[in-house]
Amino acid sequence: MMRGIYSATAGMMQNLRRQESISHNLANMNTTGFREDILTSTGFPGVLQAQSDGMDPTPNPFNPTGAIGAIGTGVNMDRLVVNLEPGPNTPTGNNLDFAMNGRGFFTVQTAAGEAYTRDGTFRVNKGGILENALGQPVLGMNGPIKVGQGEVKLEPDGTVKQAGIVLDKLKLVDVQRPEQLRKAGDTLFVTAENETPPAILPEAAVQQGVLEMSNVDTTRSFSDMLMIMRSYQTSQRAIKLSDEAYERTVNDVGKL
Amino acid sequence: MTSVSRAAASGLASQQLSLDLIGNNIANIDTPGFKKSRVNFKEVVENLASNSDSAESISTRGGVEVREIRPIFTSGPLLQTGQPYDMAINGEGFFPMVQADGTTAYTRHGAFQLGNDGSLVDFNGNRLKTDLIIPRNAELVKVLANGTVTASIGGQFQVLGKIQFGVFPNPGGLESIGNSMYKTSEASGDPVLTTPGQDGAGVMASGYLEGSNVEFGTEIINMMSARRAYGISLKSVQTIDEMVQEANSLPR
């Protein structure tokens, strides 16, 4: 019974964590270039519990004790995986607002190295360098891009031109797996520890005068929230019942 | 538990600011020289430890924050007033104004009147930055498309001076100081005083004022979007609140 309470409690905590993740996503539904987090969890099925009970941990994770049946401990390892699917593009009319069509990232130079982002809210600073809203230079294939006077034209393949002269081509990259990247805040990504950095995108498509908004699916997030609430209440009910049964055992068994 | 509400509550505060800004834009839909503003949001992620185990844990997610409020410098419509000292810029550039404290600020709002000393002043006492002096006895004052000001003095045609515009490398980076005035910042770059119609500067439209660049339809759509985001964040907060209530109502 105690195990039942622990499992249900773990279930409630799991639902709370899932709600945290959804809250974060929904708070950012209007953040340019935001990528939503998906909470994935791997269970440690009764194998661990069986081991600590001195039983033989069978290869069958669904029936570790062999006698009564599978007892999940509810202990989970949670990891956030970033959803890299593109969000909707919104025209803004600003010449220096860039957006990518399809997957990929812009590259910017930060104090700690290269960072990657989908947020194309760019501007030209005092020194004529193309930078993002945080003051970080946007990198082309040859480093930071120096822009002089006059209108900047962005070709669909990422080439930056001004008055007909090619300044540079934007350094557009992509990853094979979302695990290669880690969120660094401010809708920036950095390469995760012990992972390969993103590679140059062979075929990119970019647009100017357009910004990409968040890729949060609000309808799905909403229905997830409802399911979490129900699941949470079910766990709570399970704890109540376990507790009542336990109470009977403690107080009523062996009563004279 | 507190970090859960923090992410959800951050959504409320940020969208509230967005709604306030949209309200301000709509209130100024008829203000000449007004430029609408937008909020830029940023995602809050705090990396509590650098080891990869906790790098992608839920505790790093802090919701959303306002990164900046930026003015949008698209042109407004040109409204004909017929007043001799009303001016508008058809294209890029700003009127350079000297404020009471001597510093220079910039504006698109060109509703000027003749000051006692022959200079052109706006309704807040700021003076147009130019060498131009218009004497009392000047008649038929004309402001040409290239900023040259001419008049007839004692029956004789004379060129009195010229007005130049401040052209910025990145006008989007200008800092708003209220009253449709803006000042130079790190992001905007330094202005170059340019003759109207040359080197990227717009032409002078005398007898016109530039209307507000707020478009009602766009603001309404943005307001709907901000309200929806607010409502969803509110639902998040409510769900968490219910969960905490449920946990509190567990027996004993």
Side-chain angles (χ1 to χ4, degrees):
Chain A
M1 258 149 312
M2 291 304 283
R3 208 173 287 163
I5 291 182
Y6 288 140
S7 290
T9 307
M12 284 173 87
M13 286 167 59
Q14 173 68 0
N15 279 318
L16 204 52
R17 279 192 291 268
R18 289 188 61 207
Q19 182 55 42
E20 281 182 48
S21 174
I22 290 179
S23 291
H24 179 77
N25 288 341
L26 289 177
N28 280 287
M29 63 178 276
N30 279 342
T31 306
T32 317
F34 176 77
R35 303 294 89 173
E36 71 172 348
D37 296 316
I38 300 175
L39 192 66
T40 62
S41 43
T42 8
F44 276 72
V47 178
L48 188 61
Q49 186 67 45
Q51 273 184 325
S52 65
D53 281 350
M55 292 186 186
D56 179 30
T58 67
N60 181 0
F62 294 98
N63 197 1
T65 65
I68 298 163
I71 303 175
T73 59
V75 174
N76 288 312
M77 257 196 40
D78 297 318
R79 272 185 62 245
L80 289 169
V81 177
V82 181
N83 177 6
L84 291 179
E85 286 310 299
N89 282 352
T90 326
T92 62
N94 281 337
N95 226 19
L96 293 179
D97 281 344
F98 294 171
M100 297 195 67
N101 292 335
R103 291 184 44 139
F105 297 87
F106 298 109
T107 313
V108 295
Q109 185 72 45
T110 71
E114 276 186 8
Y116 314 100
T117 184
R118 297 282 296 190
D119 180 1
T121 320
F122 298 148
R123 61 188 188 199
V124 176
N125 75 0
K126 221 167 177 169
I129 304 286
L130 185 69
E131 60 179 24
N132 68 358
L134 301 162
Q136 295 158 341
V138 178
L139 293 182
M141 301 302 282
N142 302 323
I145 304 175
K146 190 151 166 69
V147 172
Q149 286 275 22
E151 199 179 297
V152 171
K153 177 129 171 60
L154 181 70
E155 299 291 331
D157 68 348
T159 311
V160 181
K161 279 167 132 165
Q162 188 170 49
I165 306 169
V166 174
L167 296 176
D168 200 342
K169 189 169 171 188
L170 288 176
K171 187 170 179 182
L172 303 166
V173 298
D174 198 7
V175 288
Q176 299 273 33
R177 298 167 292 116
E179 291 83 6
Q180 284 173 258
L181 295 173
R182 181 167 63 79
K183 278 191 178 176
D186 261 322
T187 38
L188 293 174
F189 290 91
V190 292
T191 315
E193 276 82 20
N194 306 322
E195 288 280 0
T196 46
I200 303 282
L201 207 51
E203 269 178 40
V206 290
Q207 276 182 287
Q208 71 179 143
V210 175
L211 281 181
E212 186 199 4
M213 298 315 288
S214 127
N215 73 346
V216 174
D217 182 348
T218 45
T219 317
R220 203 203 66 233
S221 301
F222 222 89
S223 52
D224 280 353
M225 268 207 297
L226 292 174
M227 291 203 308
I228 285 172
M229 196 57 226
R230 291 295 157 233
S231 172
Y232 190 86
Q233 286 168 337
T234 307
S235 294
Q236 189 232 20
R237 192 95 350 116
I239 290 180
K240 262 193 170 122
L241 291 173
S242 285
D243 185 57
E244 277 166 23
Y246 202 47
E247 188 203 352
R248 300 299 301 269
T249 312
V250 166
N251 291 328
D252 296 343
V253 169
K255 207 175 191 174
L256 292 169
Chain B
M1 193 79 70
T2 42
S3 71
V4 189
S5 347
R6 181 161 58 99
S10 70
L12 288 176
S14 302
Q15 296 306 331
Q16 180 68 57
L17 184 63
S18 191
L19 283 166
D20 287 345
L21 229 62
I22 292 168
N24 188 43
N25 288 344
I26 292 180
N28 282 289
I29 203 162
D30 278 332
T31 309
F34 180 83
K35 295 295 162 197
K36 62 191 173 191
S37 329
R38 291 268 175 266
V39 196
N40 267 354
F41 296 113
K42 66 174 182 181
E43 177 189 13
V44 178
V45 175
E46 283 130 11
N47 290 313
L48 301 180
S50 55
N51 64 69
S52 49
D53 270 348
S54 62
E56 290 311 324
S57 81
I58 254 300
S59 48
T60 61
R61 301 304 193 243
V64 71
E65 253 176 26
V66 170
R67 178 194 284 151
E68 61 175 357
I69 296 171
R70 62 168 183 167
I72 307 289
F73 283 105
T74 50
S75 297
L78 289 180
L79 311 164
Q80 189 167 29
T81 64
Q83 302 287 341
Y85 300 119
D86 275 350
M87 301 175 207
I89 303 175
N90 193 358
E92 297 292 316
F94 291 79
F95 294 110
M97 308 293 294
V98 180
Q99 301 183 96
D101 62 1
T103 56
T104 312
Y106 298 86
T107 185
R108 294 281 292 192
H109 186 36
F112 300 123
Q113 43 185 351
L114 197 52
N116 283 335
D117 55 356
S119 63
L120 287 170
V121 294
D122 71 7
F123 289 93
N124 292 314
N126 303 309
R127 187 174 56 79
L128 181 62
K129 188 174 186 174
T130 170
D131 293 335
L132 177 71
I133 302 282
I134 302 176
R136 279 284 175 80
N137 56 350
E139 291 172 336
L140 297 177
V141 178
K142 275 205 179 53
V143 180
L144 305 182
N146 65 358
T148 311
V149 181
T150 64
S152 170
I153 300 189
Q156 246 206 333
F157 176 82
Q158 276 191 31
V159 172
L160 298 179
K162 57 196 296 222
I163 298 172
Q164 288 184 306
F165 298 153
V167 178
F168 287 87
N170 182 31
L174 283 168
E175 229 177 87
S176 169
I177 53 177
N179 274 336
S180 300
M181 306 277 276
Y182 300 90
K183 70 174 182 175
T184 313
S185 76
E186 187 63 47
S188 69
D190 289 321
V192 174
L193 279 178
T194 319
T195 303
Q198 290 179 12
D199 296 324
V203 291
M204 173 77 82
S206 139
Y208 285 83
L209 282 182
E210 185 186 12
S212 160
N213 71 349
V214 173
E215 285 155 333
F216 194 62
T218 314
E219 295 306 308
I220 290 293
I221 289 170
N222 289 338
M223 176 154 63
M224 279 160 54
S225 177
R227 279 185 65 192
R228 199 180 335 122
Y230 187 91
I232 281 184
S233 278
L234 192 59
K235 185 74 195 161
S236 262
V237 172
Q238 284 170 341
T239 305
I240 291 155
D241 183 51
E242 271 179 55
M243 282 178 161
V244 173
Q245 267 189 320
E246 296 267 348
N248 280 344
S249 73
L250 283 174
R252 266 173 281 282

